[in-house]
Amino acid sequence: MLSSILIGLALIALLGVIFEEKTHVNKAKVTLFFGTLSWVLLFVFSSPGEERGLVIESLNENIADIAGLWIFLVAAMTFVAYLNKKGMIETLIYLVLPARISERALLFLTALFCFVFSSLADNITATLVSITLILSLRLDAAKTIKFATLVVFAVNSGGVALITGDVTTLMIFLAGKVKILQLLALALPAFAAVMLLAFMLSIGMSGEVTVTKKRTEVRGVDVAIALIFLGTILSTIAGNFFFQIPPVLTFLTGLSIMFLVARFFNEDNDTDPILEYVRQVEFETLFFFLGILLLVGMLKEIQVLDGLVRVYDMIPAVAANYLMGVLSAAIDNVPLTAALLKSGLVMGTAEWMVLTYAVGVGGSLLVIGSAAGIVAMSKVPGLTFGSYLKYFLFLFIAFNCGFAGVYLLGQLMAAG
């Protein structure tokens, strides 16, 4: 009876996420409520003694996993919030862009920027910055939608190669399924897929764009913090590879250096305290992850997730991973990935690499399938489910080529 109630609560929470635009109830509030309520019910209806002890142990394990994810994301997002507020990201974009550029060249440059930037920043920030740039160019509506479609796919593709870029990638890495250098290898087929999509979208484009550049003061402290951010990412990769240092520890070290450097430059003052940038982090996103991970942990506790593993028993792992990628276009990839990780699924490294790409990029197939798509839809006039769907064939071809590339790369790495 209790299991049925808890499954019902999880389904209601999932429906709340899917129909957020209709209900106007924030998905973070919905998932957090049902996630915490589920665990309260587990405690209330468990027998005192050994059974309740197991529930306490499971909750503690969940909280520890969530805490590591939260702290890492807060540190990474604080860096990005600071650099974005100070105009460093915008300045770098305008340094690269010429005064006049063909629409086709701009399309490829947009793809390159979105791919690289989303590897370093969270998908929401990368999408907001990219869409703001596109809207400033004042292209006609049809071309703006075409550019926005590319942004969504490129942002999601760039995020799969680094743990700073996509939460599902970070989750799979923290679970010990893939190593950092194996994730970096995903960048090759993922980038090739983005360039393929850019090529398909560029067919028929022949105009030119005039770029109005904005002048932003570049201060020494901002350059220093940008270099600290880059150094933190490189140190995270090297530290984990050579010494198995947890990424959360490296990023907290980098964040502390950022705070000290800001103080050294007298940037940390009453009018603009450096700690204020922590408050600019997307806590709505973090609370959504918290609620989702609590729900998935509860489903594991009542052994519902065993059904996901049965899919992998019925069809080959690569086909099941592909199916999960396609499903992530309709079902948020965070709960999907969390469910697979909590289910006790056993696969080789090559298969986990394929899954990382599939759930990270599969959400791009539909505009509602990823945070990048939702953000783009809210900012670009005329970008709707239907207008995005016009490019489904191009998106599907690019996704499949990227998936095939990751699969072949994984097989080569496994053979080597």
Side-chain angles (χ1 to χ4, degrees):
M1 180 63 180
L2 177 61
S3 295
S4 299
I5 293 172
L6 293 175
I7 293 170
L9 293 178
L11 288 173
I12 294 170
L14 182 59
L15 289 172
V17 173
I18 295 171
F19 295 106
E20 180 184 13
E21 295 296 315
K22 299 291 184 184
T23 62
H24 303 292
V25 180
N26 186 282
K27 64 183 179 182
K29 297 173 183 175
V30 173
T31 54
L32 186 60
F33 171 72
F34 286 108
T36 50
L37 177 61
S38 298
W39 279 97
V40 169
L41 292 176
L42 275 174
F43 275 96
V44 169
F45 289 99
S46 62
S47 303
E50 185 178 350
E51 185 181 348
R52 189 164 294 166
L54 290 173
V55 175
I56 292 171
E57 187 179 329
S58 295
L59 179 62
N60 288 338
E61 182 184 329
N62 268 267
I63 294 297
D65 291 342
I66 293 167
L69 178 67
W70 252 58
I71 295 169
F72 177 89
L73 290 173
V74 166
M77 287 178 170
T78 302
F79 271 112
V80 176
Y82 177 90
L83 295 173
N84 195 34
K85 180 75 179 292
K86 298 301 181 181
M88 280 294 293
I89 297 167
E90 191 177 66
T91 300
L92 286 173
I93 294 171
Y94 287 118
L95 278 175
V96 174
L97 283 178
R100 288 187 68 82
I101 185 172
S102 70
E103 290 175 346
R104 294 191 70 180
L106 181 62
L107 201 67
F108 282 97
L109 270 179
T110 301
L112 175 62
F113 168 74
C114 291
F115 185 86
V116 173
F117 184 47
S118 66
S119 298
L120 308 177
D122 63 280
N123 289 355
I124 293 174
T125 302
T127 306
L128 282 171
V129 171
S130 304
I131 292 297
T132 301
L133 171 66
I134 289 166
L135 292 176
S136 72
L137 300 176
R138 302 187 184 282
L139 301 168
D140 66 58
K143 289 175 182 176
T144 301
I145 291 170
K146 189 177 284 191
F147 270 84
T149 301
L150 178 64
V151 166
V152 173
F153 188 85
V155 162
N156 287 328
S157 297
V160 302
L162 270 179
I163 56 176
T164 49
D166 191 271
V167 174
T168 54
T169 299
L170 177 61
M171 290 165 64
I172 292 171
F173 170 77
L174 292 178
K177 306 301 182 182
V178 289
K179 296 179 181 177
I180 277 190
L181 291 185
Q182 292 165 339
L183 287 175
L184 286 175
L186 292 179
L188 296 174
F191 182 66
V194 171
M195 289 295 108
L196 174 62
L197 178 62
F199 171 75
M200 290 187 288
L201 291 173
S202 70
I203 296 171
M205 298 183 78
S206 57
E208 277 197 339
V209 178
T210 301
V211 180
T212 304
K213 299 193 177 186
K214 298 179 182 178
R215 293 183 177 273
T216 306
E217 180 189 359
V218 177
R219 303 175 308 162
V221 61
D222 300 333
V223 173
I225 289 176
L227 291 174
I228 291 167
F229 181 42
L230 182 61
T232 300
I233 293 171
L234 295 176
S235 299
T236 299
I237 296 169
N240 185 264
F241 180 74
F242 290 109
F243 307 109
Q244 290 74 55
I245 301 173
V248 63
L249 180 60
T250 311
F251 255 84
L252 280 177
T253 304
L255 189 67
S256 66
I257 295 171
M258 170 187 170
F259 292 156
L260 291 172
V261 167
R263 186 63 190 154
F264 174 78
F265 277 94
N266 291 322
E267 179 68 11
D268 185 16
N269 51 55
D270 292 339
T271 58
D272 190 21
I274 194 71
L275 284 172
E276 280 296 309
Y277 290 93
V278 177
R279 297 184 184 181
Q280 294 183 21
V281 168
E282 290 279 344
F283 278 97
E284 176 186 315
T285 303
L286 294 177
F287 276 113
F288 169 64
F289 296 152
L290 172 58
I292 283 294
L293 294 174
L294 284 172
L295 279 167
V296 172
M298 173 274 294
L299 292 174
K300 179 192 176 186
E301 180 69 12
I302 63 174
Q303 301 177 331
V304 170
L305 299 183
D306 295 346
L308 273 176
V309 180
R310 293 194 192 102
V311 175
Y312 285 79
D313 292 335
M314 292 186 290
I315 58 177
V318 65
N321 288 334
Y322 181 83
L323 177 62
M324 296 302 161
V326 174
L327 279 175
S328 69
I331 301 173
D332 194 285
N333 61 357
V334 172
L336 190 63
T337 305
L340 289 170
L341 290 171
K342 292 286 185 182
S343 68
L345 181 63
V346 177
M347 294 192 296
T349 301
E351 286 76 20
W352 282 109
M353 288 174 64
V354 168
L355 180 67
T356 303
Y357 178 84
V359 296
V361 184
S364 308
L365 295 174
L366 298 176
V367 74
I368 59 169
S370 66
I374 297 296
V375 169
M377 194 164 52
S378 68
K379 297 295 181 182
V380 179
L383 181 62
T384 62
F385 185 89
S387 62
Y388 188 90
L389 200 61
K390 290 179 182 177
Y391 299 105
F392 178 80
L393 180 59
F394 290 167
L395 292 162
F396 189 67
I397 291 170
F399 170 72
N400 280 281
C401 288
F403 184 90
V406 172
Y407 175 72
L408 292 174
L409 181 65
Q411 292 301 310
L412 286 172
M413 293 178 73

